[in-house]
Amino acid sequence: MTERKNKPFAMIREFHLADWFTLGNAFAGMGALFSVMTYLQTGEVLHLLYACGLIPVALVFDVLDGRIARWRQQQSILGRELDSLADIISFGVAPAVIAYGCGMQGLYDRIILVFFVACGVSRLARFNITAEALSAGGNKVKYFEGTPIPTSLVLVIALAVAAWQGALGDQLWFGKLEIAGFYLHPLVLMYAVSGSLMVSRIRIPKI
């Protein structure tokens, strides 16, 4: 056993098929982040649309990894942790950065976007603890608390429509407010609502 662990790339050798799909989720999320950076450098809206389009791709990988793991009966703690880390990139950090790229760059905007990501991290941590506690007791997980972090796709779709219509920066829907010398774009409040729902006690049935 020790000899096997000392082999080069031993960890990668132990990956299951589902784990590679999980990494595909993370790759799509990172691609979205790079696309937003390219948009901020070039000003070409197409790159922002690419970023928005990669989030549904990440969701496809996220759905498939779970289905493949159950089909092959290869669910593991490593796979669960990989899934959570990939999800925070694709459905937490990436949507927040997309919002920033769209023009939500005021101080209050940034605070709310950080709050959103923090809620996503907390939701995933609670998910893992709940799953572990229930599986340890030999029970099947029937529900989880709080909306799943992939629901941030709804926010990304809204921003994709805004980008398509050219409603970016100063043209962002609902404009901006100046409070005590700092700016808030009211549209960012949808991130505050989404984050709050993720850490709420709402019960979501596990499909």
Side-chain angles (χ1 to χ4, degrees):
M1 186 69 177
T2 304
E3 182 181 351
R4 181 184 177 186
K5 288 185 177 180
N6 288 334
K7 288 183 178 180
F9 308 108
M11 183 187 73
I12 295 178
R13 290 167 181 263
E14 295 174 1
F15 276 11
H16 300 302
L17 177 61
D19 298 332
W20 292 106
F21 278 81
T22 302
L23 290 178
N25 173 3
F27 291 159
M30 282 303 304
L33 292 173
F34 287 134
S35 292
V36 175
M37 294 180 204
T38 303
Y39 164 71
L40 292 173
Q41 289 175 332
T42 65
E44 296 179 8
V45 178
L46 185 60
H47 292 290
L48 198 56
L49 293 173
Y50 286 154
C52 294
L54 282 168
I55 304 305
V57 173
L59 181 61
V60 171
F61 280 114
D62 188 43
V63 171
L64 287 177
D65 69 1
R67 292 182 181 275
I68 291 172
R70 289 189 292 272
W71 168 54
R72 295 174 64 92
Q73 297 183 346
Q74 293 179 329
Q75 294 171 297
S76 66
I77 295 176
L78 174 63
R80 188 179 66 211
E81 296 302 323
L82 276 175
D83 186 65
S84 292
L85 293 171
D87 282 355
I88 196 57
I89 295 172
S90 299
F91 308 117
V93 177
V97 172
I98 289 172
Y100 182 88
C102 286
M104 302 178 210
Q105 300 173 5
L107 175 62
Y108 300 116
D109 299 331
R110 299 182 191 194
I111 291 173
I112 290 175
L113 293 176
V114 170
F115 167 78
F116 167 78
V117 174
C119 288
V121 173
S122 301
R123 176 22 171 107
L124 289 169
R126 182 170 65 183
F127 174 93
N128 288 346
I129 292 173
T130 302
E132 185 174 353
L134 289 178
S135 61
N139 297 318
K140 183 180 179 181
V141 179
K142 296 180 180 179
Y143 68 87
F144 297 108
E145 293 183 335
T147 53
I149 191 171
T151 55
S152 62
L153 176 61
V154 176
L155 310 179
V156 173
I157 291 173
L159 294 181
V161 174
W164 183 263
Q165 295 180 349
L168 300 171
D170 293 338
Q171 304 301 318
L172 202 60
W173 294 335
F174 308 116
K176 65 180 179 182
L177 303 174
E178 184 175 356
I179 304 173
F182 299 101
Y183 292 104
L184 168 73
H185 291 82
L187 189 60
V188 80
L189 295 177
M190 65 181 183
Y191 278 82
V193 173
S194 178
S196 298
L197 288 174
M198 283 192 284
V199 295
S200 69
R201 292 293 183 180
I202 296 174
R203 291 187 175 184
I204 306 296
K206 186 179 186 301
I207 300 175

